Amino acid sequence: MAWSRYQLGLAALMLLTGSINTLAAKWADNFSAAGCGGMKEHSFQHPFLQAVGMFLGEFSCLAVFYLLLWRDRRRPEPSMAPSQPFSSLLFLPPALCDMTGTSIMYVALNMTSASSFQMLRGSVIIFTGLLSVAFLGRKLELSQWLGILVTIVGLVVVGLADLHSSHDQKHKLSEVITGDLLIIMAQVIVAIQMVLEEKFVYKHDVHPLRAVGTEGFFGFIILALLLVPMYYIPAGSFSGNPRQVLEDALDAFCQIGRQPLIALALLGNISSIAFFNFAGISVTKEISATTRMVLDSLRTVVIWAVSLALGWELFHGLQILGFAILLMGAALYNGLHRPMLARLARSRADGSEAERERLLHAENTTINSER
């Protein structure tokens, strides 16, 4: 079945904005600028402020939802189905998970490459599968367990590629290892978020834009308030700012004022996350969850290719192998192999039928010639 123009647009939007989201965040991390009070030039390492920006992008989806709802209600025949009554506080636990996981991932992005960051995020299927068995009572099929095992192998290969490439990049070996472990740790929290959403939120048939926007609202408000105590909490060498505190938002704004391109990178990150979330949920609804998985995998290829082209990282063959194994694991877990096997079985059946007809035709020809 051919895709409509709307479906093609959604797929392209998801691929483009998803790639921009990670690349814009890494672009901001690569800048250096002077800070406040005459501080010397230093790297822009403000992961928690970047996470606040991401939630601002998600929060903007709520405004778009109410705008669409207002326009729909002005029509003679509204098309947007009303959702079941629910409390917005249902979104608070998933939002807290999203806030924690996202903040950890932005910290990790300062320590490793953009492509490894994106590849290692594929480990989420391991923890989602295990948690869905434990808390949702779901029974995984053999192919899903196999997909989890293959994904673990892929993570090991990507980790080895990072260890091999750490000597060629600006990151120390200890930073690369810490960054990779933080990314995988964040996927545990993301998996908890997904399980919470499935158990408590999805049954209310909430519009995708409203769901994303409400989680963004809670994440933005809570994390923005937490920036105040973070300004005073010492973090030592773990911190990337001159004051060595958990987050120095004032230093970040001073750096943005002295290097306007940082603001452009942050704007790209904020706007892309809003469109990416909407496009991803819409692709699942309009096309399929399998298509969303394939597009997410293609996003990794785009991020890797752009990072290589810009010289942010060097080419290593182990990354190709690791990505291929991760892609195979995700395909097995999401059941992408089923339509391929069904198509193969159908083609074999058609071939057998054609062969049988050919033999029958030959047999009839032989009988007629003998007469």
Side-chain angles (χ1 to χ4, degrees), residues 11-332:
L13 182 65
M14 179 184 169
L15 181 60
L16 179 64
T17 55
S19 302
I20 290 174
N21 180 247
T22 300
L23 290 170
K26 190 62 180 177
W27 187 32
D29 293 342
N30 288 338
F31 280 110
S32 294
C36 300
M39 288 185 182
K40 63 180 182 179
E41 187 174 294
H42 55 279
S43 299
F44 184 84
Q45 294 188 21
H46 299 281
F48 296 100
L49 183 69
Q50 285 179 293
V52 171
M54 190 215 71
F55 283 114
L56 178 61
E58 289 189 356
F59 181 28
S60 65
C61 290
L62 201 58
V64 177
F65 165 74
Y66 283 113
L67 177 62
L68 293 176
L69 186 64
W70 175 75
R71 288 184 58 186
D72 186 69
R73 286 179 175 175
R74 291 172 62 90
R75 295 175 180 174
E77 297 182 3
S79 59
M80 293 177 66
S83 61
Q84 301 176 14
F86 69 96
S87 171
S88 296
L89 291 176
L90 281 174
F91 289 95
L92 182 57
L96 290 173
C97 292
D98 194 8
M99 180 186 73
T100 308
T102 300
S103 299
I104 292 174
M105 283 190 282
Y106 276 124
V107 171
L109 188 57
N110 284 301
M111 302 178 178
T112 189
S113 64
S115 61
S116 295
F117 168 82
Q118 196 63 39
M119 290 180 192
L120 292 173
R121 290 178 69 177
S123 62
V124 70
I125 68 172
I126 299 172
F127 309 110
T128 303
L130 297 177
L131 290 175
S132 64
V133 170
F135 296 102
L136 300 178
R138 181 173 298 152
K139 293 183 178 179
L140 298 183
E141 299 178 4
L142 179 61
S143 62
Q144 291 178 305
W145 286 112
L146 184 59
I148 288 175
L149 291 175
V150 171
T151 300
I152 293 173
V153 175
L155 292 175
V156 172
V157 174
V158 172
L160 290 174
D162 273 353
L163 294 179
H164 181 70
S165 63
S166 62
H167 306 290
D168 305 321
Q169 299 178 2
K170 62 179 181 180
H171 302 296
K172 299 177 182 177
L173 179 60
S174 58
E175 287 183 345
V176 172
I177 294 174
T178 304
D180 288 355
L181 291 176
L182 284 175
I183 295 169
I184 295 174
M185 184 192 306
Q187 302 320 301
V188 179
I189 302 172
V190 173
I192 296 173
Q193 174 193 347
M194 291 180 175
V195 171
L196 288 173
E197 287 174 343
E198 185 168 345
K199 190 172 181 65
F200 299 110
V201 177
Y202 289 162
K203 62 183 179 181
H204 294 285
D205 193 26
V206 184
H207 191 280
L209 281 175
R210 188 177 187 183
V212 172
T214 306
E215 285 190 14
F217 168 75
F218 283 119
F220 174 73
I221 296 297
I222 294 171
L223 195 53
L225 292 175
L226 287 176
L227 289 179
V228 177
M230 285 180 182
Y231 184 80
Y232 300 99
I233 299 175
S237 58
F238 183 75
S239 171
N241 55 73
R243 293 181 58 246
Q244 293 192 330
V245 292
L246 201 56
E247 180 59 280
D248 190 344
L250 294 181
D251 178 66
F253 288 120
C254 288
Q255 286 188 292
I256 292 170
R258 290 174 169 81
Q259 176 54 272
L261 286 178
I262 298 177
L264 180 62
L266 295 179
L267 182 62
N269 183 254
I270 292 170
S271 57
S272 63
I273 195 64
F275 287 105
F276 175 69
N277 277 283
F278 167 68
I281 296 172
S282 299
V283 164
T284 302
K285 183 179 179 181
E286 296 289 335
I287 309 175
S288 69
T290 302
T291 302
R292 183 176 182 177
M293 186 276 293
V294 173
L295 290 172
D296 209 37
S297 300
L298 289 176
R299 178 164 70 117
T300 305
V301 177
V302 173
I303 291 169
W304 186 38
V306 173
S307 298
L308 289 173
L310 294 176
W312 290 355
E313 55 186 277
L314 300 176
F315 176 83
H316 290 282
L318 271 178
Q319 276 197 321
I320 297 180
L321 178 60
F323 173 67
I325 296 173
L326 287 172
L327 185 60
M328 188 186 305
L332 285 169

Side-chain angles (χ1 to χ4, degrees), residues 329-368:
L332 285 169
Y333 185 85
N334 289 282
L336 190 62
H337 63 289
R338 292 196 195 99
M340 296 173 64
L341 291 176
R343 193 177 298 114
L344 181 62
R346 196 180 306 116
S347 63
R348 285 183 176 178
D350 292 342
S352 299
E353 183 67 26
E355 180 67 18
R356 187 160 45 249
E357 290 180 1
R358 188 185 66 79
L359 291 173
L360 286 174
H361 178 71
E363 184 177 348
N364 290 335
T365 304
T366 303
I367 292 173
N368 291 331

